[in-house]
Amino acid sequence: MSTLDLTKHQRPLKRRLLYLLAEHAPAVAVALCFLLPLTICVLTAFMTQHQAGTGSLWPSPWEFGNFREVFSAMPFGRDLANTMLYAGLSTIGVVISSVPVAYALARLRWRGREAVFMVVLAAMMIPAQVTSLPLYVMYSHIGWVGTLKPLIVPTFFGDAFSIFLLRQFFLTIPDEFTEAARMDGAGELRILLRVLVPMTRPAIAAVGLFAFLYAWNDFYNPLLYTGNSDTGQTLAVALSQLAKNGHQNAYQLQMAASLMFLLPVLVLFFLAQKVFVEGIALTGVKG
């Protein structure tokens, strides 16, 4: 091949590379905006206290003892256990309570079904702050304030967003599956557990992941109900109070604690990413 032919062959390749670069430039820019704070957090977590306050961007030397010092600066293990208890039980509660309600709204025919579904949609639009005062008064009268009960128990009575998401997924399943099960003598509970639940695992996994991430990162509700408790705090609240407990300038400890708080969520998301994306993609196809 001559030099002229080779040059002509390389021009389309360069054009394709430039086209791909221009096409993905906005996505790369947005990704950098999200990755920059995380990168600063990771680098600061390995700095010494003197270096963390100087504005340096690269640890020199690398201080790995910050993660060990976090456990002496705050009850990290206890707060982690509270957070896992809250996130785990609330996820179970949301899934167990939302699946039957979504099935009833999507697959059963009964009077008032559309009105109940409108109530579910309206519940999604109510800000949490609107109901905070009456709920706090109610939980205070029954002695639940200062414990994790106000955070966990309500999740076993359904979640509006999860019900809506699962209902949309149930609507995408052909009626032939449930009609065939009814002809075989199966009841509604058996149809739900044996036919629909196995077919809706991606959507249920997405709902569970949503619930877990919400509970893990929740700050407002734990602050409201457990903010004054010495033993019932979650990590989200404890991290905000770390700077008030004599560690105002210990930025390296704050970043190290934040990194340990973030790590389980990142691991869970990457492990469940395929199921999560599949569940979101398949949900809401049919309205």
Side-chain angles (χ1 to χ4, degrees), residues 18-183:
L18 291 175
Y19 177 78
L20 290 175
L21 180 61
E23 184 180 14
H24 295 88
V28 173
V30 173
L32 291 177
C33 291
F34 282 96
L35 289 176
L36 183 60
L38 179 61
T39 303
I40 294 176
C41 174
V42 173
L43 294 177
T44 306
F46 290 96
M47 293 182 180
T48 61
Q49 182 172 0
H50 174 73
Q51 188 181 9
T54 60
S56 301
L57 297 179
W58 192 259
S60 180
W62 289 73
E63 180 57 63
F64 295 92
N66 294 330
F67 297 92
R68 182 177 62 254
E69 191 174 349
V70 168
F71 289 89
S72 60
M74 59 180 292
F76 190 90
R78 185 196 66 195
D79 296 336
L80 176 62
N82 291 336
T83 305
M84 295 181 66
L85 182 65
Y86 169 34
L89 291 181
S90 64
T91 300
I92 295 174
V94 167
V95 172
I96 291 178
S97 60
S98 299
V99 169
V101 178
Y103 172 76
L105 292 175
R107 313 298 296 190
L108 301 182
R109 300 291 183 265
W110 45 282
R111 182 178 298 179
R113 186 185 69 167
E114 298 302 325
V116 173
F117 180 62
M118 294 303 297
V119 172
V120 172
L121 293 180
M124 294 174 55
M125 305 174 188
I126 300 177
Q129 291 76 9
V130 174
T131 58
S132 293
L133 182 58
L135 287 176
Y136 185 88
V137 173
M138 181 184 68
Y139 293 139
S140 178
H141 282 311
I142 61 179
W144 283 9
V145 174
T147 68
L148 296 176
K149 293 179 181 179
L151 306 176
I152 298 174
V153 174
T155 61
F156 285 84
F157 293 89
D159 175 70
F161 175 74
S162 302
I163 292 172
F164 171 77
L165 199 66
L166 289 171
R167 174 189 176 271
Q168 297 305 108
F169 194 93
F170 282 137
L171 289 175
T172 64
I173 300 176
D175 294 334
E176 287 76 8
F177 289 99
T178 54
E179 294 300 330
R182 290 192 181 97
M183 293 180 62

Side-chain angles (χ1 to χ4, degrees), residues 174-242:
D175 294 334
E176 287 76 8
F177 289 99
T178 54
E179 294 300 330
R182 290 192 181 97
M183 293 180 62
D184 291 338
E188 298 300 333
L189 182 60
R190 186 176 181 182
I191 293 174
L192 174 62
L193 297 179
R194 296 294 182 88
V195 179
L196 293 184
V197 168
M199 300 176 64
T200 57
R201 285 177 182 174
I204 294 175
V207 166
L209 187 59
F210 272 131
F212 184 88
L213 293 178
Y214 172 81
W216 188 272
N217 296 317
D218 189 15
F219 175 78
Y220 177 77
N221 291 314
L223 178 65
L224 181 64
Y225 297 115
T226 66
N228 295 326
S229 175
D230 296 330
T231 59
Q233 288 185 351
T234 61
L235 274 178
V237 178
L239 289 177
S240 67
Q241 297 180 354
L242 180 61

